[in-house]
Amino acid sequence: MNRKLIRNVTPEAAWRWFVPAGVEEFVSDFIHDPKYDIDRTDYKEMCRIYASELPFACNRPFLVEDLNYIADLLEKHIKNYIEKIGGEENLQLLTKEESDERYEAALEELISLLEKDMK
């Protein structure tokens, strides 16, 4: 990805480009995923982990500095969103069951796409 483009993007645009979910879903998925031991308000760590996975998700290389910058943008977006809704107490986080259902539905969709592609 073009470094100049990344450096000129807003937190909201970075979120739209890189995160296919809303803030509540994003945070919920992290706090319910057993491979992460993350406090529900450690947005910095969530964004750092997410950004570190972008080269695999996007199937392209990124400079470490750019991944760190993207993580900062994503964290700013989360904080802006929380401020906009009036505070963390107003986050509508998913339950573990709802988060698991979202994951299962996405997995089923992926399998369906792969099966179509193989026909």
Side-chain angles (χ1 to χ4, degrees):
M1 185 154 244
N2 184 315
R3 179 176 212 153
K4 187 175 181 181
L5 183 63
I6 290 171
R7 298 298 175 171
N8 289 316
V9 71
T10 65
E12 292 72 25
W15 191 272
R16 285 192 309 271
W17 285 358
F18 297 112
V19 184
V23 169
E24 279 111 347
E25 292 91 353
F26 178 88
V27 173
S28 297
D29 287 346
F30 267 97
I31 62 174
H32 296 306
D33 191 322
K35 71 180 171 190
Y36 306 117
D37 184 25
I38 295 179
D39 182 88
R40 76 180 290 267
T41 60
D42 194 350
Y43 311 119
K44 183 176 206 63
E45 181 67 6
M46 292 175 196
C47 294
R48 187 197 63 73
I49 291 168
Y50 188 84
S52 73
E53 296 172 350
L54 285 174
F56 306 104
C58 296
N59 197 27
R60 64 173 7 120
F62 285 82
L63 296 172
V64 171
E65 305 89 63
D66 291 342
L67 293 174
N68 291 336
Y69 190 76
I70 291 167
D72 290 343
L73 289 172
L74 299 179
E75 181 187 8
K76 284 179 190 168
H77 175 75
I78 291 172
K79 289 182 177 181
N80 291 344
Y81 178 82
I82 289 171
E83 184 177 323
K84 182 177 163 185
I85 64 168
E88 287 180 343
E89 65 277 0
N90 294 322
L91 279 174
Q92 301 280 318
L93 298 178
L94 302 176
T95 64
K96 176 156 179 31
E97 292 75 25
E98 291 169 327
S99 192
D100 288 347
E101 287 173 15
R102 274 186 69 250
Y103 176 78
E104 292 294 327
L107 192 56
E108 286 177 23
E109 184 178 338
L110 177 61
I111 290 169
S112 174
L113 290 171
L114 289 172
E115 287 173 343
K116 275 185 194 177
D117 204 34
M118 295 177 84
K119 289 182 181 179

